[in-house]
Amino acid sequence: MISNIFYEAFQTSSLWMVFLIIINLILCIYPILGAMFWFFGALSYVLFRQKEELPPKAELTTEPFITIMIPAHNEEIVIKSTLEYLLTQLNYHNYEVLVMDDGSDDRTPEILHSMQTKYSRLRVIRIEQNQGKAHAFNIGLFFAKGEYILSNDADTIPETDALIKYMQYFTSANGINYAAITANMDVYNRSSLWGKSQTVEFSSIVGIIKRSQTAINNTMYAYSGANTMYRRDFLINVGGFRQDRATEDISIAWDHTFINATPKFAPDIVFHMNVPETFHDLYRQRKRWAQGGSEVWLSNFLKVFRHPWQYRFVIPMLTDTTLSIIWSFFFWITSIIFIITMLSFAITGNYERVWHGIVMSMAFVNFQLIAGLFQVLAALILDFNGSKLRYLMFSPLYLLFTWIVNPLTIVTTFHKAIKTVTGHGSGKWISPERKVVDNNGKF
């Protein structure tokens, strides 16, 4: 059938028709190609780059000074337990904890003041008006004493040996070139269906995509904003974090890529994070991520297009982002057209065409599902030595969410991204709803 379409197009000398058919085919199978690309990228990581991970009994001979930086806005529910863990449970000595209280109007300032009297290595900077996470980070950079800056969210708990492992990477033979090292996400609030599904998702994103990016092009589309350690000089070299962006962790990763700095994904450094447990909070989070991705694409597309050879190492990640954005619009436009067409057939009594359309669409979805399961299965096997395989049953919900909701977030926030890159954006943030999670320092 496809060959007949190409033949007819060539017979009528319609090069535009051939071009549109090719683009349509690429967009139709983009999710399948993407899943298989990440799968083989992860295989490449295992074959060629896994040897760069820390040896089992590696030791740290010196302890460079580290600043753990926590931007906080209305974090009264989680800030005390997080700080007590960071100040008492880490197997490291030479560090400080610097909290930027970004205009909190709840009990966060009171809690921080009380804890300062108890812990001498805790420092607090009060920002009177909420200006956003990136702004808080940039303010903190002026006061941080450490050569290395650990970005740590107020609801995030790194493993007890995290600082040791970070510094082992930075002080290794290759470490002099590392601009940032991003750790491996783990979900610790798995009490709801959404929490369990995100366990699969973060394994898929972190376990596959970041490994693939490291193995194939030694780049990274985004750091894990909840827990990434930066070399301070490389933050200063790119002018700090972009304060008008929706996601500081995505924009800083692209800024580092453009100066040819080397990022590092460390799957053997684990941090535990509190994820949204309602669809409303999850959707709001993904809208922010989608906007951040569109912002870096809009900011950098013309730069690469005008100087393709100079920025040739950025082309793979820019191409993937371009296809992802275009496919999101393609998916929803064609889905709406498909629904309208099926309804019109049903109204006119052409039930055979309705049945044919449903069968064809379900067959295509099954191909997508199989490709997606390859990606998820490989991720769960690689992450934590396969201990998360029990969450495989929740992968259909993750895949459904990814294919339907994530494209919707890109489409609905694209105009906001345009507004931001044209100078009318804001980095202000609203903290998600928090629930108390008693970790007792154990995971």
Side-chain angles (χ1 to χ4, degrees):
M1 178 179 177
I2 294 175
S3 60
N4 289 338
I5 295 175
F6 275 106
Y7 177 77
E8 291 176 5
F10 278 114
Q11 285 293 99
T12 57
S13 301
S14 178
L15 293 178
W16 277 110
M17 179 65 72
V18 175
F19 176 76
L20 290 175
I21 291 171
I22 293 173
I23 294 297
N24 184 67
L25 286 174
I26 292 174
L27 291 174
C28 283
I29 63 176
Y30 170 72
I32 299 174
L33 293 177
M36 299 310 297
F37 179 82
W38 299 129
F39 172 79
F40 286 107
L43 182 62
S44 300
Y45 176 89
V46 173
L47 294 175
F48 305 113
R49 303 299 291 271
Q50 196 167 19
K51 60 186 178 182
E52 297 178 5
E53 295 180 15
L54 295 175
K57 296 183 179 180
E59 294 183 0
L60 184 66
T61 56
T62 61
E63 289 191 358
F65 194 80
I66 296 171
T67 296
I68 302 177
M69 198 176 293
I70 305 176
H73 175 68
N74 291 346
E75 302 285 4
E76 63 179 4
I77 294 178
V78 296
I79 192 66
K80 183 177 181 180
S81 61
T82 299
L83 287 177
E84 285 184 342
Y85 178 91
L86 294 174
L87 290 162
T88 63
Q89 300 297 320
L90 298 181
N91 296 328
Y92 201 87
H93 303 92
N94 199 23
Y95 72 98
E96 66 173 349
V97 178
L98 179 62
V99 179
M100 286 76 65
D101 177 14
D102 191 23
S104 298
D105 54 13
D106 61 354
R107 292 184 59 252
T108 299
E110 177 186 338
I111 294 171
L112 291 174
H113 178 73
S114 174
M115 296 192 71
Q116 271 191 289
T117 62
K118 184 178 179 181
Y119 299 104
S120 59
R121 63 170 44 150
L122 173 62
R123 300 166 62 210
V124 178
I125 298 173
R126 170 69 179 179
I127 302 172
E128 290 300 328
Q129 185 177 1
N130 175 14
Q131 299 282 341
K133 186 176 180 180
H135 176 266
F137 268 129
N138 289 339
I139 294 295
L141 280 176
F142 286 100
F143 295 91
K145 299 177 181 178
E147 178 186 353
Y148 300 93
I149 308 294
L150 177 64
S151 161
N152 195 97
D153 281 356
D155 62 347
T156 299
I157 304 295
E159 63 172 310
T160 55
D161 289 336
L163 298 188
I164 293 177
K165 291 181 179 180
Y166 273 124
M167 296 318 305
Q168 285 173 336
Y169 274 110
F170 273 116
T171 58
S172 67
N174 295 326
I176 192 172
N177 297 316
Y178 293 153
I181 299 173
T182 194
N184 200 354
M185 299 184 230
D186 186 33
V187 176
Y188 67 72
N189 55 326
R190 306 173 191 171
S191 58
S192 70
L193 182 61
W194 289 114
K196 291 179 173 64
S197 299
Q198 287 174 86
T199 300
V200 175
E201 180 187 17
F202 284 127
S203 291
S204 182
I205 290 175
V206 175
I208 290 292
I209 296 180
K210 281 183 167 41
R211 282 181 173 91
S212 298
Q213 293 164 357
T214 301
I216 295 172
N217 201 38
N218 205 23
T219 56
M220 202 171 293
Y221 294 22
Y223 299 137
S224 300
N227 204 262
T228 292
M229 185 174 287
Y230 300 90
R231 194 186 296 272
R232 181 193 180 110
D233 290 346
F234 278 97
L235 288 176
I236 295 173
N237 286 345
V238 294
F241 295 91
R242 298 193 180 219
Q243 297 180 181
D244 60 346
R245 296 296 190 256
T247 51
E248 87 294 337
D249 47 357
I250 298 178
S251 62
I252 193 70
W254 281 67
D255 289 342
H256 277 163
T257 299
F258 272 96
I259 65 170
N260 209 16
T262 303
K264 177 64 180 175
F265 172 55
D268 46 351
I269 304 177
V270 181
F271 68 91
H272 310 269
M273 60 185 298
N274 192 341
V275 299
E277 292 197 276
T278 65
F279 180 81
H280 174 265
D281 287 340
L282 184 60
Y283 182 67
R284 187 173 67 178
Q285 180 195 65
R286 299 313 157 90
K287 285 179 66 178
R288 184 173 64 84
W289 291 2
Q291 181 179 337
S294 297
E295 287 170 357
V296 295
W297 181 79
L298 288 166
S299 301
N300 298 306
F301 183 83
L302 286 179
K303 183 191 300 186
V304 178
F305 183 78
R306 290 169 180 167
H307 307 283
W309 180 250
Q310 180 181 353
Y311 299 118
R312 58 193 179 278
F313 48 87
V314 186
I315 290 177
M317 57 192 291
L318 188 72
T319 301
D320 181 62
T321 305
T322 302
L323 286 173
S324 179
I325 292 173
I326 294 175
W327 178 80
S328 297
F329 283 92
F330 172 83
F331 172 81
W332 277 103
I333 291 172
T334 54
S335 295
I336 292 171
I337 292 173
F338 175 78
I339 292 171
I340 293 174
T341 303
M342 292 300 103
L343 287 175
S344 66
F345 285 147
I347 292 172
T348 58
N350 195 346
Y351 300 114
E352 182 181 354
R353 294 298 298 273
V354 174
W355 174 249
H356 178 75
I358 293 175
V359 170
M360 292 297 293
S361 62
M362 291 304 296
F364 185 71
V365 168
N366 283 331
F367 279 112
Q368 286 185 320
L369 182 62
I370 292 171
L373 285 175
F374 267 104
Q375 176 185 348
V376 172
L377 184 60
L380 293 176
I381 291 174
L382 286 175
D383 243 17
F384 304 99
N385 298 316
S387 63
K388 290 185 178 181
L389 278 170
R390 64 185 184 276
Y391 293 105
L392 183 62
M393 68 179 70
F394 300 102
S395 59
L397 180 62
Y398 153 66
L399 295 172
L400 182 66
F401 182 87
T402 301
W403 290 335
I404 296 179
V405 178
N406 283 5
L408 181 62
T409 60
I410 292 176
V411 171
T412 56
T413 61
F414 196 75
H415 68 286
K416 293 182 179 180
I418 295 175
K419 182 179 178 181
T420 296
V421 298
T422 54
H424 304 285
S426 171
K428 290 185 178 181
W429 57 342
I430 300 175
S431 295
E433 292 186 17
R434 306 293 196 190
K435 290 184 180 180
V436 177
V437 178
D438 183 16
N439 55 68
N440 293 319
K442 299 178 181 180
F443 300 93

